[in-house]
Amino acid sequence: MRKSNPSKGFVTVASKRKQFIMGADNLKESILDYYPEAKITLFTEQRFIDDPECQSYFRDFDQVIATPAGTEREKMWGMANSPYDLTFYMDADIEIRHEDIKNVFDHLEDGKYDMVYVNLTKEGADHFAEWNWGPNLYDDGWRGVPDHLAHCGGVTLYDSRNPLIKEFMMDWYTLHLKQKDESWNPPEYDYIESDSFKRWDQLTLWWLIYHCPKYKSLKWNFFKDNYRWNYFTSFGFNKDGTHNCSIVDPTRDYWKSVDEPVVVHFSSWMDKFGNKGFL
Amino acid sequence: MKKEWKHPFWETAAKDRMTARLNITHDDGSFSTSVARVSKFDANGKVSPDWEEILDQNSTEEIDEFTEQRLERHKNQREATIKKQQDQNEAKRLEDLFNYKLQTFEIAEIKESTNRKLKAKIRKAKNVVEMTAYATILLMEKYNEEIKSE
């Protein structure tokens, strides 16, 4: 039985470099611009929490919680340890641009879904360093396990009232660390020739969603207004300020009727400063 | 030996030169392919045998169509390249603007300000000029407060 009136909040994670804390501070402020009563938790390293120079960034966060380590993927630990029942996780290089952020938790449809993701489309694939390793592409109508990164981990909406969700996020964290040091290499990875995929936390997410028996019961969905919830700046904005969802997401039609993106992702900015990854 | 001229297109508006793919199946069963440029007239001013062979295998209308398709394809490629470059430029501009905003929020008076309305305007600025203008207003506000308190 899921708790009624769940708590709701946002989580972001900043590790390794101070610039990420600056980004997280900006993300928090941009949420509060549209949603003043929002609860936002920052996960960061203890050394930053103890640093007097960083204190000004922590203002107006609901909680600032120390991560156990300083890897570039402490985000999954933060996701697993969200203090909220319903959580919208966002990377720290994101900015909120629309008041619909207030309604993000509605996408979980009151317990109908455990997790909601942005779907990485074939037409958007040029904007990612690598995307697929085989012919089974969702956008071409194939079914089953896709041979590409379908779920974007840059933002994740989830409902921790299902206890499996916390375990899912913690497995995402621990398995990715093992994947990186090559102490975990599931048989499904044997079909992926490009080794670069095997460094990604995105591939761990793919495995957990499609191949891990423990999580088969989890109910997930993609945002119906997909890229509004993670619009990469490389998709570009036109001179009149309009977005390019019609180009990168042609099989959906939300962009015909809805407003501009809610979440804008400045992913290249982060790459300038640290080993963020590829998406 | 079997020669096949595939997808010829006109090189010139006068239609006196073509390019085509030439597929050759040799007597021993081996296969070779190449791209050949063929002029209508040979050195003696006579219509070349290759030219006649191409026209035997492809009608003038088909060659017109191949030529149009190629032009269209190249036009689309050029437009796609230009669009991609524009997208990259715009993304870079946005990334730079984002970086400038974060630097602006590092200015102590702005960082410590509780004027959320003006700070939101800085964040939502669409270009550096707009961002600087709002940052200046906020700094002026701080400056005026200091003057008053003195």
Side-chain angles (χ1 to χ4, degrees), chain B residues 94-115:
Chain B
L94 290 169
E95 302 280 343
D96 288 346
L97 179 60
F98 184 66
N99 206 18
Y100 291 137
K101 283 180 193 175
L102 292 192
Q103 287 179 45
T104 302
F105 285 117
E106 283 298 289
I107 298 170
E109 290 83 353
I110 295 178
K111 193 179 197 176
E112 287 156 18
S113 169
T114 53
N115 189 333

Side-chain angles (χ1 to χ4, degrees), chain A residues 18-85:
Chain A
K18 190 180 159 189
Q19 282 88 342
F20 296 163
I21 298 178
M22 289 163 60
D25 179 34
N26 185 64
L27 167 62
K28 173 251 301 173
E29 292 290 318
S30 69
I31 297 169
L32 294 173
D33 284 346
Y34 295 100
Y35 188 4
E37 62 275 26
K39 301 278 188 200
I40 308 159
T41 288
L42 169 68
F43 288 87
T44 189
E45 292 176 61
Q46 187 64 52
R47 66 186 171 109
F48 292 127
I49 294 174
D50 296 338
D51 183 348
E53 284 188 14
C54 289
Q55 300 310 304
S56 60
Y57 300 113
F58 302 148
R59 190 173 65 188
D60 293 334
F61 275 109
D62 177 34
Q63 297 184 48
V64 178
I65 299 173
T67 54
T71 73
E72 73 271 20
R73 280 299 181 256
E74 293 303 290
K75 78 177 203 182
M76 286 89 90
W77 192 90
M79 291 165 84
N81 289 282
S82 168
Y84 313 112
D85 296 320

Side-chain angles (χ1 to χ4, degrees), chain B residues 9-13 15-19 37-38 67 70:
Chain B
F9 59 86
W10 306 114
E11 285 274 8
T12 61
K15 299 185 179 180
D16 58 0
R17 201 166 67 229
M18 280 190 274
T19 294
R37 184 173 287 179
V38 179
T67 306
R70 177 175 174 271

Side-chain angles (χ1 to χ4, degrees), chain B residues 56-94:
Chain B
D56 282 346
Q57 295 181 14
N58 301 272
S59 69
T60 309
E61 291 74 23
E62 283 173 329
I63 300 172
D64 285 344
E65 202 176 316
F66 286 137
T67 306
E68 276 304 309
Q69 286 172 356
R70 177 175 174 271
L71 287 173
E72 186 65 21
R73 197 167 59 244
H74 282 221
K75 183 173 164 251
N76 290 341
Q77 283 169 351
R78 278 195 304 278
E79 286 174 356
T81 303
I82 292 168
K83 175 81 171 72
K84 190 166 187 176
Q85 187 58 52
Q86 286 173 341
D87 286 351
Q88 285 173 351
N89 292 345
E90 175 62 3
K92 167 115 185 27
R93 189 187 73 78
L94 290 169

Side-chain angles (χ1 to χ4, degrees), chain A residues 71-72 175-183 198-199:
Chain A
T71 73
E72 73 271 20
L175 289 177
H176 175 249
L177 291 179
K178 287 180 181 175
Q179 178 183 306
K180 262 182 72 181
D181 70 17
E182 298 180 5
S183 61
K198 296 172 190 172
R199 287 183 286 140

